[in-house]
Amino acid sequence: MLTGCTNLEFDHESIKVPFGKYLEFENPDECDEKYRNDVESGVENRGNHTDKTQGIILPLKLQINNLLENNVTAYLYEYTYPKHGRHTDDLSYIMGVHAFEKDENEVHLEQVYKDMVINFIKLGEPGMGFEKSEQNESTYFDIYWNETTGERPRMRKYFEKEVTDYWLKEMIEFDQKVTETKKKLKQISLKTVPFIEKPLEQNDEAGTLIGVSLIAISIFLIGCIFGRYCCLRRRNLYIRLDGNNYENAGNF
């Protein structure tokens, strides 16, 4: 794999990116809140990049890490010449798109791109001292040219270190701590109200007895009320007997 980016990409666009969801953290809202607070307080300067540029850098680094972890040779570059360093500007060197008038340095940078791509296609490696990326030191090929100072493209260490360390180390640790804290709080909550977990298991027999008693009492009370108010007029019953002595019949 031969892949890379420019160092300015979308630094001219200040669109906010929901990184918590974008990078699939377990606690995206908390991670986003921490990031915004860190930026506002100056704790995190984002490597002087906008959210959208970080949105290019981070998946690129994750892709390289994944390839290297699976023993796939990967070559990572970053175009750092500032004059035309925005997103896709460097495609002018190999595809002719986004054409611009080249200065004395960009003429040489164009040749670097052509040689890099052609060598990789034909030989499987870019050449020009462009070595495969190494994960621990995050090595990459810095594509830069300055005729005045004599600076040329070369290998460097720690690709976009501030951005990658913040998101792929510090924020991952923060996300894990938030998850652990939530688990502990949940356990404490369950311990303080244990009856929520098993409200009847420990008192099944007592609960059944109470239930039956309540039903019996309810039936008894309903019967009393019904008898008192519905049968009031029939409390005194008389039996009339045929014969002359019916007036002496008992009063029931």
Side-chain angles (χ1 to χ4, degrees):
M1 170 72 78
L2 171 64
T3 186
C5 64
T6 69
N7 69 326
L8 297 179
E9 290 291 349
F10 290 104
D11 282 349
H12 56 289
E13 297 184 15
S14 58
I15 298 174
K16 288 187 177 181
V17 175
F19 284 108
K21 182 179 180 180
Y22 183 59
L23 297 175
E24 299 182 340
F25 287 115
E26 292 183 0
N27 307 280
D29 293 339
E30 289 85 347
C31 290
D32 282 337
E33 182 180 7
K34 171 178 167 54
Y35 169 59
R36 298 302 168 193
N37 290 337
D38 287 348
V39 170
E40 185 176 349
S41 64
V43 173
E44 162 61 12
N45 65 7
R46 304 180 291 188
N48 296 317
H49 293 306
T50 61
D51 283 12
K52 202 169 181 179
T53 294
Q54 293 181 89
I56 297 290
I57 293 170
L58 293 170
L60 179 60
K61 177 57 178 170
L62 289 170
Q63 180 188 41
I64 289 292
N65 289 349
N66 183 59
L67 291 169
L68 296 176
E69 288 168 1
N70 287 278
N71 299 316
V72 177
T73 300
Y75 295 91
L76 173 64
Y77 69 84
E78 184 174 39
Y79 180 79
T80 59
Y81 191 69
K83 190 172 182 180
H84 296 100
R86 291 183 177 181
H87 186 63
T88 72
D89 280 351
D90 56 339
L91 292 182
S92 174
Y93 298 141
I94 54 176
M95 298 178 65
V97 297
H98 310 303
F100 50 82
E101 186 177 348
K102 301 174 184 63
D103 64 19
E104 59 177 357
N105 298 313
E106 291 169 327
V107 171
H108 295 286
L109 289 168
E110 180 178 32
Q111 191 60 47
V112 169
Y113 262 80
K114 289 179 179 179
D115 292 343
M116 175 179 71
V117 173
I118 291 172
N119 287 338
F120 182 73
I121 293 172
K122 293 175 65 175
L123 308 173
E125 55 184 39
M128 301 177 295
F130 190 166
E131 302 171 3
K132 64 180 181 180
S133 184
E134 197 277 327
Q135 186 171 357
N136 291 334
E137 295 184 328
S138 192
T139 56
Y140 67 101
F141 193 55
D142 181 9
I143 301 180
Y144 181 85
W145 195 289
N146 191 310
E147 281 290 289
T148 302
T149 63
E151 294 176 86
R152 300 292 185 266
R154 67 187 184 93
M155 292 297 297
R156 291 185 182 274
K157 297 179 180 180
Y158 310 118
F159 170 74
E160 293 291 348
K161 182 176 174 58
E162 291 183 358
V163 173
T164 56
D165 279 358
Y166 179 81
W167 285 108
L168 306 183
K169 291 182 180 179
E170 295 177 29
M171 192 61 80
I172 288 177
E173 292 176 358
F174 172 79
D175 186 44
Q176 291 172 344
K177 288 180 180 178
V178 172
T179 298
E180 292 174 1
T181 300
K182 287 183 177 180
K183 289 180 179 178
K184 290 179 180 178
L185 290 174
K186 184 177 180 180
Q187 291 173 352
I188 293 173
S189 176
L190 292 176
K191 288 180 179 179
T192 55
V193 283
F195 59 86
I196 294 178
E197 284 286 325
K198 298 180 179 180
L200 294 177
E201 286 184 9
Q202 297 177 354
N203 298 293
D204 286 343
E205 294 182 1
T208 302
L209 180 60
I210 293 173
V212 172
S213 299
L214 289 174
I215 293 173
I217 293 171
S218 299
I219 294 173
F220 175 78
L221 292 174
I222 292 173
C224 291
I225 294 171
F226 180 84
R228 179 174 180 80
Y229 292 99
C230 297
C231 302
L232 182 61
R233 295 180 180 178
R234 302 187 64 185
R235 278 170 45 186
N236 298 319
L237 300 180
Y238 297 87
I239 297 176
R240 181 170 179 170
L241 301 178
D242 291 333
N244 297 324
N245 61 342
Y246 68 89
E247 291 182 356
N248 296 321
N251 188 347
F252 294 91

